[in-house]
Each structure stands twice: as structure tokens, then as C-alpha cells.
Amino acid sequence: MRCFARAFGLAILVVLAGCKQPQPPPTPVPPAPTASGYGQVPSITASAPGTAGAAQRFLVDMDVPGQWWTLFHSAELNALIDEGIRANPDVAAAQAALRSARETLYAQRASAYPNAQGSLSISRQQVPTFYAPPINNRNSEYVYGVHTASLDVAYTPDVFGNLRYQTATTAAAVDVQRFEVEATYLTLTSNIAATAFTLASLRGQIEVTNRIVAIDRDLLKLTQTARTYAQAAGLDVLTQEAALRAAEQSLPALDKQLAQTRDQLARLVGRAPSDTPIAAFDLASLHLPEDLPLSLPSKLILQRPDIAAAGAAIAQAGAQVGVAYTNRLPNFSITAQTATQALSLMGLFGPGSFLSTLTAEAATTFYDHGTLKHREASAIAAYDQAAAAYQGTVLSGLQNVADALAALRTDADALRAAVRSAATADHALRIVRYQDEAGEVSQLAVLNAEQTYQQAELALVQVQAARYSDTAALFQALGGGWWNRPDTAPYTR
């Protein structure tokens, strides 16, 4: 044993003496964003009377709720999102991928421990008589059985940290997949909310458009009658008919969009389009959240799962550099084997049946025409790529928040203008109706005023839906509050 230890130590010294040490890998530290805000952000938006008209305040010290969709106070929306979390196959696929990554990590960790294998073999052997005399003179050949039981133990000392870097790679892969799961949750809940708001908006638009079509038909009839009595020109009839056809043409497009949106919502909640119809709800049944969180960029990088996943990808790329770095260094292995061999099972553990082997090996690559060197350079370039991708993901996150804030500000202004326009059109319609009762105007003037009012109502429905959708977009841009969700279990590797 003393001779073995000396030989093994000498082999290590010889290998290390002939090995040129490469540079160590970089330390993966995701760079922090330098931005301190999102540009000019008002503390409160404009307000307007009616549906979705409340002023919204942006609070820097407010955390993002884990179930932010409940702030809209819609039981139907809550039920849809709960169903989607339970039944959407994308969520199940992401969770399965996370379980797979964890099991891979457990398997990789086990490689740092000795590996033991046992075997038992029984063979029947036959040799010519000139190798050994026959047991039975009637046999011309010597036939006997060999029974072998062995135990092999192999261990790879992690002298330069290669196994440690491989374990760090798989651990970072688990982190990436963990945040991919949270990104899947966030995308799903945000898409369900946005699609539900679009569905409610389309129903409102179709309702208003049907009223506009009915008014245009009455206007066309009145114009044709006026043409009969030479009180309107032929061009007036054609102009009014063109307006009617344009309104009628918009209905199939809205119906198509409604059907496709309904199918999309069914897919998001894990249903087939032919399953139970999606519960209907309108914009008036929703509550617009008035207090909204506004996380600073320094917190945003911790909240958004895509940024967190990009940070974990940097750690993974850095560990890969470590793997490539240590692949250029010597590697060592120790193998021990003990076995027993006998002509019968009963004799396996008898005297004189045991044999053993102890092997120590040290190996390194002296010449490979730069293969390992270039692999390390490739890993370093991949690390630089991951760092640049992280920066791009951070910038995209900041852009998403800034865009959502700008949308909420302009949505509030647009809603105020739309409410004023609808109020003005309604006031004009009331006056025309009073004049019609007094016989001062024709029915044609009443229908024109009614048409103007319905057009204003159509624009109002679209702006109201935009406020709900862009509010949901802000929660998504801020990370969705997954860290506060009650069904998120503490994460351990």
C-alpha cells in the first residue's frame, strides 16, 4: 500500500508539471440596471364619470399582489383564471420540465460520491484434455463451472472542481426552469385577463354596431322617401346607402373576432372550443383598480421572472466556463475491485477464493490541436452572450413598464375625451328630440343625431376596455406578484 501511495503521488506531480494552467473562469454577477425610474410618470391619472373612469394612483411603496386579478372584483374573471391555472397544459408542461431539471440535479450531485456495483456470474467452461486431465476418463474434454462474485467501487476525486462546476451548471438550469414556470403562470393569467376584457369589449361593440345599423337603415328609408318627393338628390341616397353598407360590413369582422377570442379564451383555460361556453360578463361589471404599484428598477429585476431567468442563465454560462476550464486540467480516478471465484456456489467464500485490485489513474491531454482551448473560448463567448442577453431583458422589462404607464395615462385622457364626446352627442340628441316633438325638425335630423351618439358610444366602449387591458399589462410588466402568491411553495434545491 505504501508503494501504491508513492506511485500515485509521483504520477500526480508528473502530470501537474507538464500541464500549463489556463486562466480561471469569470465570476457570474448579473449587472444591475443604472436607470432610476421610467421617465415622467404622473402620480395620478385623469378621471371621468362612468365605467372605468376612476383616477388611478401610482404608489412606489406598494407591493404587487400575488392574485392581482382579484382587484377587478369580477367573480367570473377569478373563476376563469383559477380554471386556467388548474387545467392549462402549458402550466403542466412547465412544471414537468422543472421536476425533470431537479432530478437531473440530484443525479449530478450523486456523481461526487463513490459508485459501487456488484455482480454475480456463473459460467460453464470446457477445455481440451491437454490443458488439464479429465475428471472422468470417459470424457475426452475437461468441463467445469466457474462462479464469480465481485464488488467494484469507483471514485473520482474532484481535485480541480470539474464536478463542482458541472453541478453548478445543472443547479443554474433548475433556477432557469423555476423562473420559466413563474413566467408561464404570469403569461397565462395576464392573457386570460386581457382576452376576457377583449371579449367583453367586442360584445359591447357588436351591440352598439347593431344599433348603428338599425339607425342607418331608417336613415336610408327616409332619404329614399325624400328622393321620391324631390327633397333629396340621388347622391344623398347613395351616400346614405354607403354608410349603411359600411356599418353592416363591420359586423362580420366583429363577429369573427368575437368567435376567435372566445376560442382563444377556451384554450387558455384548458378547454376545447366545443366545451362549456365561457361565462359572459360586460365591462360595467368590472372594477378598475385605483391604487397601482410602481416598483423601482432595482426591485423590478428581482420581480420579473424573465429577468431572473436571464440572471440564472448567466450563472449557468459561468459554470460552463468552469467546466471547460477544468477539462484542460488533469483528472484522477480510483477504482477498487474485490472478487471471489470458485468452482461452486458453496465455495465462493471459502479459503483461497478471494482476489482484489486497486487502481489509481491520473490523465491529462498534452496535445489536441487546441480543441479544449477553443472549447473554453467558446464557453467564455457564451457567457458574454448570456450577460448581453440579460442586459437586453432588463431593458425590455423597463420598456414594458414605461409603455404600460404611458398607456394608462393616455387611456385616462382618451376616456375623459370620449365621455365628453358621448355626453355632447347625448345632449344634442335630446335637443333634437325636443325639436322633433315640437315639429321643428324632421325625423331625418333625429336619426342623424342618434347615429352620432351611437358612434360616440362605440368609441367609449373601446377606450373603457383599453383601461382594463392596460391595467392588467402593468401588473404583468411588474412581474405579477408571483412571490406573494399563496400557492407558491418555498423553493429549495
Side-chain angles (χ1 to χ4, degrees):
M1 181 62 69
R2 183 177 299 176
C3 294
F4 165 78
R6 290 178 178 175
F8 187 54
L10 181 61
I12 294 177
L13 292 176
V14 171
V15 171
L16 291 178
C19 179
K20 182 180 180 181
Q21 304 293 322
Q23 295 298 318
T27 301
V29 178
T34 57
S36 59
Y38 307 99
Q40 296 182 351
V41 180
S43 59
I44 188 171
T45 66
S47 63
T51 301
Q56 292 180 307
R57 294 175 292 274
F58 303 108
L59 307 178
V60 175
D61 57 348
M62 178 180 174
D63 198 5
V64 183
Q67 294 179 324
W68 54 266
W69 53 89
T70 60
L71 299 179
F72 293 96
H73 297 178
S74 172
E76 293 84 359
L77 178 61
N78 296 343
L80 284 175
I81 291 181
D82 290 343
E83 181 181 356
I85 291 176
R86 292 192 310 268
N88 187 279
D90 298 335
V91 172
Q95 292 172 335
L98 177 58
R99 293 195 303 271
S100 175
R102 284 177 176 169
E103 295 300 329
T104 301
L105 173 60
Y106 300 151
Q108 177 59 43
R109 281 177 174 171
S111 64
Y113 297 90
N115 179 273
Q117 294 181 334
S119 65
L120 174 65
S121 65
I122 301 176
S123 62
R124 189 76 169 171
Q125 299 187 16
Q126 175 179 303
V127 296
T129 55
F130 58 80
Y131 284 128
I135 297 177
N136 191 327
N137 292 331
R138 292 175 298 176
N139 295 334
S140 60
E141 296 179 327
Y142 181 33
V143 180
Y144 61 96
V146 177
H147 301 74
T148 304
S150 66
L151 175 65
D152 299 332
V153 179
Y155 178 61
T156 302
D158 195 18
V159 178
F160 295 108
N162 184 270
L163 293 178
R164 176 170 56 87
Y165 283 122
Q166 291 185 36
T167 302
T169 299
T170 54
V174 172
D175 285 340
V176 171
Q177 190 55 49
R178 174 203 176 193
F179 293 118
E180 289 293 339
V181 170
E182 299 304 339
T184 302
Y185 272 100
L186 177 57
T187 301
L188 174 65
T189 54
S190 302
N191 285 344
I192 290 177
T195 306
F197 298 151
T198 301
L199 198 63
S201 173
L202 289 171
R203 288 194 177 105
Q205 292 179 53
I206 290 174
E207 181 181 349
V208 174
T209 302
N210 279 321
R211 292 199 293 266
I212 293 175
V213 169
I215 294 171
D216 284 342
R217 287 173 180 165
D218 291 339
L219 284 173
L220 179 59
K221 290 179 182 178
L222 289 176
T223 306
Q224 290 172 339
T225 302
R227 170 63 176 163
T228 301
Y229 293 99
Q231 296 177 352
L235 180 60
D236 296 332
V237 175
L238 293 176
T239 300
Q240 185 55 49
E241 184 176 1
L244 171 61
R245 302 311 174 209
E248 290 176 336
Q249 184 181 4
S250 65
L251 274 175
L254 289 173
D255 289 335
K256 173 186 175 182
Q257 191 175 355
L258 178 66
Q260 292 177 341
T261 303
R262 188 186 298 113
D263 294 342
Q264 179 184 2
L265 189 55
R267 164 64 176 83
L268 290 172
V269 300
R271 302 186 196 175
S274 59
D275 290 347
T276 305
I278 299 296
F281 60 96
D282 54 20
L283 295 177
S285 66
L286 299 171
H287 167 77
L288 184 71
E290 299 178 18
D291 292 335
L292 299 177
L294 182 59
S295 304
L296 295 176
S298 57
K299 292 184 62 177
L300 184 69
I301 62 174
L302 304 175
Q303 295 176 180
R304 283 184 60 113
D306 58 339
I307 295 179
I314 292 180
Q316 185 179 18
Q320 288 284 14
V321 173
V323 172
Y325 161 70
T326 52
N327 281 340
R328 300 179 63 188
L329 301 177
N331 59 81
F332 309 94
S333 64
I334 301 173
T335 304
Q337 181 186 54
T338 180
T340 177
Q341 193 172 70
L343 297 178
S344 65
L345 287 174
M346 298 301 295
L348 281 176
F349 301 99
S353 62
F354 288 91
L355 57 93
S356 63
T357 304
L358 181 63
T359 304
E361 180 180 355
T364 189
T365 301
F366 288 100
Y367 178 76
D368 62 357
H369 202 63
T371 300
L372 295 179
K373 175 184 176 182
H374 291 302
R375 285 178 180 173
E376 183 184 3
S378 174
I380 293 175
Y383 172 83
D384 294 338
Q385 178 186 5
Y390 176 85
Q391 290 281 16
T393 305
V394 170
L395 291 177
S396 296
L398 297 176
Q399 177 190 353
N400 293 156
V401 176
D403 289 348
L405 293 172
L408 289 175
R409 176 178 56 81
T410 55
D411 287 345
D413 295 338
L415 180 63
R416 171 180 285 186
V419 169
R420 290 175 177 175
S421 176
T424 301
D426 179 63
H427 184 63
L429 177 60
R430 292 175 183 272
I431 293 175
V432 172
R433 283 176 175 172
Y434 290 147
Q435 291 175 340
D436 178 55
E437 292 176 359
E440 297 177 359
V441 295
S442 65
Q443 184 65 25
L444 182 62
V446 175
L447 291 176
N448 280 327
E450 180 74 25
Q451 183 187 47
T452 301
Y453 172 71
Q454 294 299 334
Q455 291 287 356
E457 283 289 306
L458 181 61
L460 183 60
V461 169
Q462 295 171 339
V463 176
Q464 288 170 342
R467 289 207 78 184
Y468 290 116
S469 298
D470 290 332
T471 300
L474 176 63
F475 285 113
Q476 181 182 17
L478 293 175
W482 57 270
W483 56 96
N484 292 324
R485 204 173 63 239
D487 60 325
T488 301
Y491 174 71
T492 57
R493 285 206 298 257

